[in-house]
Amino acid sequence: MQINNPLQINDWEIKKFLKVVLTIQLAVLGVIGLDAIGLQIPILRQFIGFIYLTFVPGIIILRILKLHKLGNIETLLYTVGLSIATLMFTGLFMNTLYPLFGISGPISITPLIITISILVSILCILSYIRDKDFSDPSFIDVGNVLSPPALFLCLIPFLAIFGTYLVNFHHNNILLMFLIVIIAIIAILIAFDKFIPKNLYPLAIFVIAISLLYHRSLISMYIWGWDIHLELYLTNLVKMNGIWDSTMPSTYNAMLSIVMVAPIFSNICSMSFTWIFKIIYPLLFSLVPLGLYRVFQKQTDDKIAFLACFFFMSGYIFYSEMLALARQQIAELFLVLLILLMVNKSMAKIKRSLLFIVFGLSLVVSHYGLSYIYMFCLISAWLLLVLADNPAMQRLLDNFYTKFSRYKSEKHAGNPNSFKIEDRTISSTFVLLVIIFTLTWYMYVSSSSAFNAIVRIGDHMASSIFTDFLNPEAAQGLKMITAQPAPGLLHEVCRIINYLNQIFIIIGGIVLLLRYRELKFEREYTAFSMINLAICFAGVSVPFFASSLNMTRLYHITLIFLAPFCVIGGIIALRAMSRIVGVAWTDKNVRSSLKVLSVYFVIFLLYSSGFVWEVTEGYSGSISLSQESIKEYGDAEGKNTFYAAYYLDGDIAGVKWISKNRDNKSKVYADYTRKRLVFTSYGMMPGERILTNTTKVRDGSYIYLGYPNVRYGLMFDPSQSKKYWNVTDISPLLDEMSMIYSNDDAQVYYR
């Protein structure tokens, strides 16, 4: 039995296509209307609203552009990317123009639903006019959908959901431990050609991504991390005021990926920002590995592409640190879409150029750090390609590859134009557009905060390059991305694996340069990859470069390009080992090397997820697997770090109480993280004071003590050697004050 493929609905007959789109639109209007009269159906509005906002605008635009037969992966990615871009720029349009016509709250439910509905209707009309004659639907075999491998993969994300439920409410991590094992088994099965067929590799990538993300993001009923608290504060401001204040001085405030996307989803789907950041953003971010799989697949093969994505997802940064950076999650999706367009030579040039512009501008307004990195890479790659197109350089390169390539083909030998590509995606016009839009946006939005930040970083970085370059005492970049050894064999193995990852990437990069003709990597992608390899090296060798841009995040970004070279480098390393032991290298050995690497990457996942430490030591530091161990058996430093960004009901209740009942003329003192994080997000009190053991608290002030302050006497303070001090240090001060609120987990004092 076959059914029309819903992932490629843009290929359907136009009337059937429009019926589906308008049905979804009417459903959204219907559930919003039911909520307005008090008839709420659980989950329905959230589900329909998500489908409407995430897929409908983008799929209609694909139809307008007459982009068909793209395949499941590319259709899905372009659809979501275009939809998110549409939401951001539609919100910006409303925020700019509607107040001029007397609409004071443009980013509120009524203006939003009316505007988006009208926009979708106009797009539907345009799609009918432009593409009414096309009809070539693809079909899905129901038997394949209901096959044991497909059903097995689809059930895995539920392990993450139920596993986090057990941790949150029953303090049991058994399901999450089992989840890590299942994910490891999937990688082994695919490498050994067992059970999971090639056509399900993309589904396996998506399932692994969303499972790893949800096994962390769904921990706690509140957001956790650092940056995300300020992101929550800014989105709350937009929703409370119904408008975005583009003049507010904050680098985060310039990011439409949070100040527009999150409020629009919250209003239409009737969801709190906490769950938008914990459910919707990770779901969108899980498309990044899927897009990378398609990018790698086009240039290598299915197995290498899968293992490269598995390596990318196995690093803890992907499913831990990135979850606290909502704006970067969206920005990375646009970056991957730009890369996908760069390696997609089959799309018509004008359509590809249009999508390049849309996704490029969307990246700029999504995350300033990633935008600056992309702009630097774009300029550098363009210069490299222009240099490579020089006839003299072409002859030099041709002679080089003729001399060093293993296979000297007649097609390339002696041909001075063997490296020239007429249909180059990186044009001077696009480079100039990105530069102008990036600088203009960051100079004129949010009081130039993002522009000033990069100027300061660049100035300090330039001065430190010559003083700290390759300084072994100062360089901290490599330490940030590799595990620091503790006594014991397992810790030493962990350190070796992390160093091997870097060695494999370097080997893979060298192989790409020496055997460019034999590999299928696109020239533009090769240029970007070499630049990212240089950036990664700079992060290791120049300390300020690493600390200013955060080496862990920088390393994660470079892996978007470099992940396949870890696999290629691993294959070459195994080949070298086979020569040492005198074994002939054949195609069978290549397949065997992929099996060995799958086991290697599985071990890497088991280490980075904390599984190994949870099994062997009962403590891994993971908030998913070792939460109870940290609470019950962790030392003071471990508890201090854990509760710095992890909050319980009592903490949130106390913060909300003081936010509501305090005298606005009085100052509230709290330890570093509670002041910087939870006071900002859930208390909407960003301007309060940090409490230290030397702070002079004036009369008419409040002191707030949260869970770790009350239960363990720990006060977070990064200026201290151990990053904390003891609440007993201010016992005389507290004795002079009156406790005006207590819920066992939080206390408020006043004098």
Side-chain angles (χ1 to χ4, degrees), residues 591-624:
R591 293 192 295 272
S592 298
S593 67
L594 292 176
K595 296 175 183 178
V596 173
L597 286 174
S598 71
V599 175
Y600 170 81
F601 289 136
V602 161
I603 295 173
F604 175 55
L605 171 67
L606 296 179
Y607 269 109
S608 62
S609 65
F611 182 90
V612 171
W613 312 124
E614 185 67 15
V615 170
T616 59
E617 300 178 359
Y619 179 86
S620 67
S622 165
I623 66 170
S624 302

Side-chain angles (χ1 to χ4, degrees), residues 591-698:
R591 293 192 295 272
S592 298
S593 67
L594 292 176
K595 296 175 183 178
V596 173
L597 286 174
S598 71
V599 175
Y600 170 81
F601 289 136
V602 161
I603 295 173
F604 175 55
L605 171 67
L606 296 179
Y607 269 109
S608 62
S609 65
F611 182 90
V612 171
W613 312 124
E614 185 67 15
V615 170
T616 59
E617 300 178 359
Y619 179 86
S620 67
S622 165
I623 66 170
S624 302
L625 304 182
S626 296
Q627 188 177 131
E628 294 308 307
S629 299
I630 296 171
K631 293 177 181 177
E632 298 297 327
Y633 309 111
D635 57 15
E637 189 171 351
K639 288 185 173 71
N640 179 56
T641 302
F642 176 74
Y643 287 110
Y646 179 90
Y647 299 97
L648 302 175
D649 292 338
D651 243 331
I652 304 300
V655 168
K656 289 183 176 180
W657 183 90
I658 194 171
S659 176
K660 180 180 179 181
N661 295 283
R662 70 181 178 129
D663 180 353
N664 291 330
K665 296 180 181 180
S666 300
K667 290 296 180 182
V668 182
Y669 292 82
D671 77 346
Y672 183 87
T673 57
R674 270 143 189 80
K675 182 270 175 189
R676 291 287 303 273
L677 304 180
V678 73
F679 268 32
T680 301
S681 54
Y682 290 102
M684 299 298 290
M685 301 182 296
E688 302 308 321
R689 303 293 179 87
I690 295 175
L691 179 66
T692 70
N693 52 359
T694 60
T695 301
K696 302 298 183 182
V697 178
R698 298 178 179 179

Side-chain angles (χ1 to χ4, degrees), residues 412-673:
H412 296 286
N415 178 9
N417 294 317
S418 59
F419 295 93
K420 189 170 183 178
I421 299 177
E422 298 294 342
D423 186 22
R424 197 168 69 199
T425 57
I426 303 175
S427 65
S428 57
T429 303
F430 179 68
V431 174
L432 190 61
L433 176 64
V434 169
I435 294 172
I436 292 174
F437 185 78
T438 301
L439 297 180
T440 302
W441 180 262
Y442 292 133
M443 287 176 66
Y444 291 100
V445 175
S446 296
S447 301
S448 304
S449 297
F451 181 78
N452 294 334
I454 198 63
V455 170
R456 289 193 300 270
I457 291 174
D459 180 65
H460 197 167
M461 191 182 300
S463 64
S464 68
I465 286 177
F466 299 103
T467 58
D468 287 340
F469 183 69
L470 290 177
N471 180 350
E473 295 182 359
Q476 298 295 320
L478 192 58
K479 293 181 180 180
M480 293 182 187
I481 59 175
T482 55
Q484 298 308 297
L489 177 62
L490 289 177
H491 289 272
E492 188 66 22
V493 170
C494 180
R495 185 179 70 89
I496 291 172
I497 288 175
N498 279 278
Y499 278 111
L500 278 177
N501 291 342
Q502 319 315 314
I503 293 172
F504 288 163
I505 290 173
I506 294 171
I507 293 173
I510 294 172
V511 168
L512 176 63
L513 289 177
L514 296 180
R515 295 172 57 182
Y516 176 80
R517 286 179 176 175
E518 302 164 40
L519 301 175
K520 298 188 296 182
F521 286 96
E522 295 288 345
R523 192 175 67 155
E524 293 93 339
Y525 186 88
T526 300
F528 269 90
S529 298
M530 293 302 100
I531 293 163
N532 274 269
L533 190 59
I535 290 174
C536 196
F537 175 76
V540 172
S541 57
V542 182
F544 185 79
F545 190 88
S547 59
S548 298
L549 299 180
N550 191 316
M551 188 55 202
T552 55
R553 299 179 194 176
L554 188 65
Y555 176 62
H556 166 81
I557 292 169
T558 60
L559 284 185
I560 291 175
F561 291 94
L562 301 179
F565 302 113
C566 185
V567 181
I568 294 171
I571 294 173
I572 298 301
L574 291 172
R575 177 186 175 187
M577 292 176 60
S578 71
R579 286 186 173 182
I580 293 174
V581 298
V583 176
W585 188 257
T586 64
D587 289 340
K588 183 178 180 181
N589 294 116
V590 174
R591 293 192 295 272
S592 298
S593 67
L594 292 176
K595 296 175 183 178
V596 173
L597 286 174
S598 71
V599 175
Y600 170 81
F601 289 136
V602 161
I603 295 173
F604 175 55
L605 171 67
L606 296 179
Y607 269 109
S608 62
S609 65
F611 182 90
V612 171
W613 312 124
E614 185 67 15
V615 170
T616 59
E617 300 178 359
Y619 179 86
S620 67
S622 165
I623 66 170
S624 302
L625 304 182
S626 296
Q627 188 177 131
E628 294 308 307
S629 299
I630 296 171
K631 293 177 181 177
E632 298 297 327
Y633 309 111
D635 57 15
E637 189 171 351
K639 288 185 173 71
N640 179 56
T641 302
F642 176 74
Y643 287 110
Y646 179 90
Y647 299 97
L648 302 175
D649 292 338
D651 243 331
I652 304 300
V655 168
K656 289 183 176 180
W657 183 90
I658 194 171
S659 176
K660 180 180 179 181
N661 295 283
R662 70 181 178 129
D663 180 353
N664 291 330
K665 296 180 181 180
S666 300
K667 290 296 180 182
V668 182
Y669 292 82
D671 77 346
Y672 183 87
T673 57

Side-chain angles (χ1 to χ4, degrees), residues 283-297:
L283 188 56
L284 297 174
F285 185 53
S286 66
L287 297 177
V288 168
L290 184 63
L292 289 179
Y293 173 78
R294 186 62 178 141
V295 170
F296 302 156
Q297 183 191 39

